Amino acid sequence: MNRFKAIRRLANSLRKDDQGSILAELALAMPLFLTFLMGIVEVGNYLLINLKLQHSVVSIADLVTRDEQISETVMADVFNAAPQIMEPFPMGADALVIVSAISQTEDEPPSIYWQRMGGGTMDVDSDFGIEGGPPNLPDGLTMRDDETILATEIFYDYEPVIFQFIPSQRLRKQSFFRPRIGALQSVDPAEPE
């Protein structure tokens, strides 16, 4: 009987003693909170790189279409600006910008008049095709005779920061601009320094 009273007293004292209960709850909940926090960081980084790529491809296309003529020197300057536009994400071997000038005449179907790439060293081909060949244009994109469309693409190899639930993948963004003035159907040779 004494044994049962002692067990009962011990159970009553344990039930009334609530010191350390928050620590036990915190220890159970902390891994879940940390997982949520790291997931928010990972998804936020993925969304930010996608927004940065879209902003970069539009900015580069805008820079190319500003003048009546374009030269190799200007194209080199535009590609040198691409890593600054992409900051804080490094380009290097993880990225590449491709600008393709697509045009047609009354007598000839659309073709890629010229194509330049830079801003990174990734080994990738344009989804629009190769210089001198017929372009792979999206449905609904209309071409007018003697008018150029500058199709700009940016490729980026995305690597997750923390988790692998967003898989490593090659991201691609594109934009289409018509030149403001001129046709931009050729790139002038580099200007002597």
Side-chain angles (χ1 to χ4, degrees):
M1 200 65 152
N2 266 347
R3 205 180 260 175
F4 291 117
K5 283 185 181 182
I7 292 173
R8 183 183 261 172
R9 256 186 272 138
L10 179 62
N12 284 337
S13 69
L14 288 177
R15 193 171 357 124
K16 291 177 185 176
D17 186 10
D18 61 0
Q19 289 181 337
S21 64
I22 290 182
L23 288 176
E25 292 168 2
L26 185 62
L28 292 173
M30 188 58 74
L32 185 62
F33 289 140
L34 287 176
T35 302
F36 283 147
L37 179 63
M38 289 186 285
I40 289 169
V41 168
E42 189 67 59
V43 169
N45 188 56
Y46 181 77
L47 293 174
L48 182 60
I49 188 71
N50 274 286
L51 286 172
K52 197 65 153 168
L53 288 169
Q54 189 62 46
H55 171 72
S56 297
V57 76
V58 168
S59 296
I60 291 166
D62 181 53
L63 288 171
V64 173
T65 59
R66 286 182 179 216
D67 295 323
E68 189 174 347
Q69 296 177 331
I70 191 92
S71 69
E72 295 290 352
T73 305
V74 171
M75 287 303 299
D77 289 344
V78 169
F79 290 134
N80 286 335
Q84 280 74 36
I85 297 170
M86 279 293 294
E87 283 292 329
F89 299 100
M91 289 189 69
D94 292 332
L96 184 68
V97 177
I98 302 174
V99 179
S100 304
I102 302 167
S103 192
Q104 71 181 23
T105 63
E106 193 175 311
D107 303 326
E108 296 179 24
S111 68
I112 299 175
Y113 277 41
W114 57 266
Q115 191 172 70
R116 299 294 183 272
M117 54 187 69
T121 59
M122 178 189 287
D123 185 26
V124 66
D125 295 325
S126 172
D127 286 354
F128 297 121
I130 60 171
E131 185 173 333
N136 301 319
L137 295 174
D139 294 337
L141 185 65
T142 58
M143 297 282 305
R144 292 180 270 197
D145 291 340
D146 298 320
E147 185 177 59
T148 306
I149 292 178
L150 288 170
T152 307
E153 302 166 279
I154 189 167
F155 295 88
Y156 193 89
D157 281 339
Y158 173 76
E159 290 291 329
V161 177
I162 302 169
F163 289 133
Q164 294 294 321
F165 71 85
I166 298 177
S168 298
Q169 57 189 287
R170 180 162 289 167
L171 302 174
R172 175 184 177 265
K173 298 292 180 185
Q174 65 185 15
S175 72
F176 300 96
F177 273 55
R178 287 191 166 97
R180 294 182 182 133
I181 48 177
L184 294 182
Q185 292 181 341
S186 64
V187 178
D188 297 335
E191 300 160 0
E193 292 184 25

